[in-house]
Amino acid sequence: MSGFTLSPLDIALPPGAFAGGGRDILMHDGAPLCGFTRGPLRPCLHPVWTPSGHVVTAEQPADHPHHRGIWCASDHVGLLMQGPDGIERYDYNFYVDEVFQGRAPGCIRQTGLSLVAQNDRTALVAQTLDWSGPQEWAAPTGRPVLIERRCTAITLLQDAVIMDITSEVTPAGDIAVALGPTRHAWFNARLALDIAIDPTSAPVDNQRHRGAAAIPSRDTKWVDYSGPVGGGDTAGITVIPGGGKDNAWFVSDWGVITVGSIRDQARTLAPGTQALFTCRIVAHDGPAPAHNLWTDIPFVTPDALAGEISGDLE
């Protein structure tokens, strides 16, 4: 089948066995581009392929098993509950799979996934996600925290796959929610081991600073991490966030890029209000570009792409 398709990756399991998650693969003309994976606690994009077929993401590496490909998360999310003497913050962690710094792990459950629009080179995949707190006393099924609408526009170029991610969150009920402050949010990428483990590989930013220690945590426009992927080829990932000067970075020399805009102070959402986070992540063939042409391509918003398409896809 020509064009983009999104289909479940079905794996035959023995009788009595069941899967702890699931994966839908976005393909173009039969070639895989990325997997929309449902993990036990949060979804992610993995595997992510370059146009040449190299996988540039890692899933659950031994050192940080909660790192999964490309994912959205935050380890400081608080319900601002009304108590007898004022507001009390019920704090959860949606980043680590276990209790983290005293905060129990919540779960981001995918409740909807669909390929809603496409043209000759771009597909729009929409997800609906429920952020829920853990099972606890007085909340045996967990407390509803956030509802997220996440849209990923995937554009295929000759040497790159561009993923424009729009994440919109709103409180799940009539209780305000505080996001952050934290460096473990909002957009994250974990590079494939072949790239990260190579001693010649290192992250680089738009000012050509090389190595994590040299990359400023503020006022950085993009970060690339590229390296060998076998067969003499090179590939990598570039992260280009929206949000302007509010962004703060956490970059490591062992394969992690994180960027978000809630590093310094919490962002409070009243019931019925939204927070919008955007980021462009590029899986590319070849080394980090001397001039990042991907910053010159307009960001694909869900409304803009959907407006170009006549009719919905099944």
Side-chain angles (χ1 to χ4, degrees):
M1 179 180 293
S2 62
F4 292 94
T5 60
L6 182 65
S7 303
L9 180 63
D10 292 325
I11 299 175
L13 298 175
F18 64 92
R23 180 170 289 156
D24 295 84
I25 304 295
L26 181 73
M27 307 183 78
H28 183 264
D29 291 348
L33 299 180
C34 64
F36 287 79
T37 298
R38 303 180 300 282
L41 289 179
R42 67 195 63 86
C44 69
L45 293 176
H46 177 83
V48 174
W49 289 267
T50 69
S52 293
H54 297 296
V55 173
V56 289
T57 53
E59 185 179 36
Q60 292 191 277
D63 51 30
H64 288 74
H66 51 279
H67 288 180
R68 293 180 172 91
I70 295 167
W71 75 103
C72 299
S74 174
D75 72 330
H76 274 276
V77 179
L79 277 173
L80 304 183
M81 303 286 289
Q82 180 63 51
D85 300 311
I87 297 297
E88 300 174 351
R89 178 164 169 158
Y90 295 6
D91 231 347
Y92 305 118
N93 129 55
F94 290 89
Y95 188 93
V96 180
D97 296 355
E98 301 173 353
V99 175
F100 182 57
Q101 299 173 351
R103 298 180 299 281
C107 180
I108 305 174
R109 294 183 180 88
Q110 178 179 286
T111 58
L113 174 74
S114 60
L115 174 58
V116 296
Q118 66 173 288
N119 57 30
D120 58 346
R121 69 170 188 167
T122 301
L124 178 63
V125 177
Q127 294 170 277
T128 53
L129 305 157
D130 289 345
W131 296 46
S132 300
Q135 179 181 354
E136 59 178 288
W137 190 81
T141 60
R143 302 179 189 276
V145 180
L146 293 168
I147 296 173
E148 180 185 1
R149 180 176 179 260
R150 188 181 305 171
C151 292
T152 305
I154 300 96
T155 300
L156 177 60
L157 304 180
Q158 183 176 358
D159 60 351
V161 176
I162 297 177
M163 294 160 282
D164 288 340
I165 305 173
T166 302
S167 171
E168 182 184 83
V169 294
T170 189
D174 58 359
I175 302 169
V177 177
L179 306 175
T182 178
R183 65 180 171 89
H184 292 115
W186 192 262
F187 296 99
N188 311 271
R190 180 69 190 245
L191 275 294
L193 180 61
D194 286 351
I195 297 173
I197 202 172
D198 190 278
T200 65
S201 301
V204 62
D205 69 3
N206 58 289
Q207 296 296 321
R208 313 315 295 177
H209 299 119
R210 185 171 178 82
I215 294 175
S217 62
R218 306 295 197 281
D219 299 324
T220 293
K221 293 181 179 179
W222 55 262
V223 171
D224 181 272
Y225 205 136
S226 302
V229 287
D233 291 343
T234 299
I237 286 177
T238 302
V239 178
I240 310 167
K245 293 186 177 181
D246 290 335
N247 288 314
W249 295 81
F250 172 75
V251 181
S252 80
D253 289 323
W254 35 270
V256 175
I257 304 173
T258 289
V259 65
S261 57
I262 53 172
R263 173 66 181 91
D264 298 316
Q265 61 182 14
R267 183 169 181 178
T268 300
L269 300 180
T273 65
Q274 296 82 32
L276 182 66
F277 305 99
T278 61
C279 189
R280 167 169 287 174
I281 300 180
V282 184
H284 62 86
D285 290 307
H291 170 62
N292 197 328
L293 299 177
W294 302 310
T295 61
D296 299 332
I297 300 173
F299 188 92
V300 180
T301 64
D303 291 341
L305 179 59
E308 296 176 2
I309 309 302
S310 59
D312 294 331
L313 299 178
E314 295 181 354

